Amino acid sequence: MLTVCYDPYSGTLGRFTRAEIFDLVAEAGYEGINIPVNSAFLGEISSTEIEDAVNLANKYNLVAPTIGFGNHILTTPNRKNEALQHFEIVLDVARQFNAEFIGIWVNPSADVSRQESLDALEDNLSKMIPACNDHNIKITLEFEKGCPLDNYREGVEFIADTGLPVYLTCDTYHLFNDGAEPVAAALAMKECLGDGHVSGSNRGEPGGGVFDFETFAKGLKEINYTGPLVVQYKMDDVASIKRSCEFTHKFRDMIQS
């Protein structure tokens, strides 16, 4: 477990082809890759495009424990049908990659109150969870400042209040922006932490900035965290892909030490 993965994110998507991304990720030493279900990575998101991505993962011996819900509309009340249609595609991708998690960014929704956003999210999740359970796939929710789930505390509260069997994605960048104490955050998320995003405090490569990874590693070790470690940052320098992999392997060693 604690698979070190790369997320094709800002600076990677649109700059390289899908095949080039897989090649870069494998060459840098990653064990896995996040699959974002959007047109920037999967083109028309057709069966042919998905099959090509699966074949590339197999070619480079990369696992894909996390699948990104690419259409950020799950908090939008008047787009529930569209959201659930997208979910069917995301679930199919997750099944083909034998993924463990479907990751959802809990987006702000224009002209909708926070409570209405969370109500829409809860309703959509309640319809998605049975199919996920059938295939042993978990849903994770990513908190971020200014979003309906602003921080890890609100994420934990949402899960407790709704009783939904969903989990959290903890991004070190969002944790830093919240001013959270890393060990306290890890302990609070213990029962519901699904996966982690590894980023610099300025959204640059991991290890850059001032986030206290050493302390956070102690918290993750204390809760026996075993989920994926997904590198996600704004990539400017291609050489940083390998550096980020090396840093995250060291971070993993700190968690496991």
Side-chain angles (χ1 to χ4, degrees):
M1 302 295 285
L2 284 171
T3 310
V4 176
C5 306
Y6 185 81
D7 182 20
Y9 186 70
S10 174
T12 301
L13 281 184
R15 181 174 174 182
F16 301 101
T17 66
R18 183 166 57 236
E20 287 171 338
I21 291 170
F22 274 95
D23 186 58
L24 284 166
V25 171
E27 180 66 25
Y30 289 88
E31 299 154 349
I33 186 170
N34 175 63
I35 304 295
V37 183
N38 57 32
S39 58
F41 191 71
L42 291 178
E44 297 176 355
I45 318 183
S46 64
S47 57
T48 303
E49 299 266 16
I50 297 167
E51 183 181 356
D52 178 67
V54 172
N55 289 339
L56 284 167
N58 291 334
K59 173 184 176 182
Y60 289 103
N61 197 29
L62 291 169
V63 296
T66 61
I67 307 296
F69 197 99
N71 202 351
H72 305 306
I73 55 174
L74 283 167
T75 62
T76 310
N78 63 1
R79 299 183 72 178
K80 288 181 182 178
N81 288 340
E82 184 182 349
L84 293 174
Q85 288 170 0
H86 184 66
F87 166 68
E88 295 294 335
I89 298 170
V90 174
L91 180 63
D92 178 55
V93 174
R95 290 177 62 192
Q96 292 197 50
F97 278 95
N98 295 314
E100 184 178 0
F101 299 102
I102 290 174
I104 293 167
W105 175 58
V106 183
N107 62 295
S109 195
D111 304 318
V112 178
S113 71
R114 175 178 183 266
Q115 191 56 54
E116 287 173 316
S117 294
L118 293 179
D119 288 346
L121 177 64
E122 180 180 359
D123 188 36
N124 281 323
L125 290 173
S126 68
K127 294 179 172 66
M128 294 159 56
I129 287 167
C132 287
N133 287 344
D134 287 344
H135 301 288
N136 199 31
I137 294 170
K138 303 179 182 72
I139 292 174
T140 61
L141 307 176
E142 183 174 3
F143 55 85
E144 179 178 356
K145 302 305 293 180
C147 292
L149 297 180
D150 179 89
N151 52 66
Y152 75 86
R153 298 172 298 281
E154 291 187 358
V156 171
E157 182 181 34
F158 175 81
I159 293 172
D161 288 350
T162 61
L164 293 172
V166 295
Y167 300 82
L168 294 178
T169 292
C170 179
D171 189 313
T172 57
Y173 174 66
H174 302 324
L175 208 59
F176 174 79
N177 286 335
D178 181 52
E181 198 288 310
V183 173
L187 293 175
M189 290 184 286
K190 178 180 179 178
E191 301 300 328
C192 53
L193 181 56
D195 66 335
H197 287 175
V198 183
S199 174
S201 60
N202 56 358
R203 208 31 143 191
E205 66 181 274
V210 294
F211 181 75
D212 189 349
F213 279 96
E214 187 173 348
T215 299
F216 190 42
K218 292 176 183 176
L220 293 178
K221 179 179 181 179
E222 191 166 340
I223 65 171
N224 296 312
Y225 175 74
T226 58
L229 298 172
V230 183
V231 171
Q232 184 189 83
Y233 69 104
K234 293 180 179 177
M235 197 278 291
D236 295 317
D237 175 14
V238 176
S240 69
I241 299 176
K242 183 175 179 62
R243 290 196 301 267
S244 297
C245 183
E246 292 170 346
F247 174 84
T248 306
H249 274 91
K250 292 175 184 175
F251 179 49
R252 178 171 67 181
D253 290 342
M254 286 190 278
I255 298 169
Q256 295 177 326
S257 65

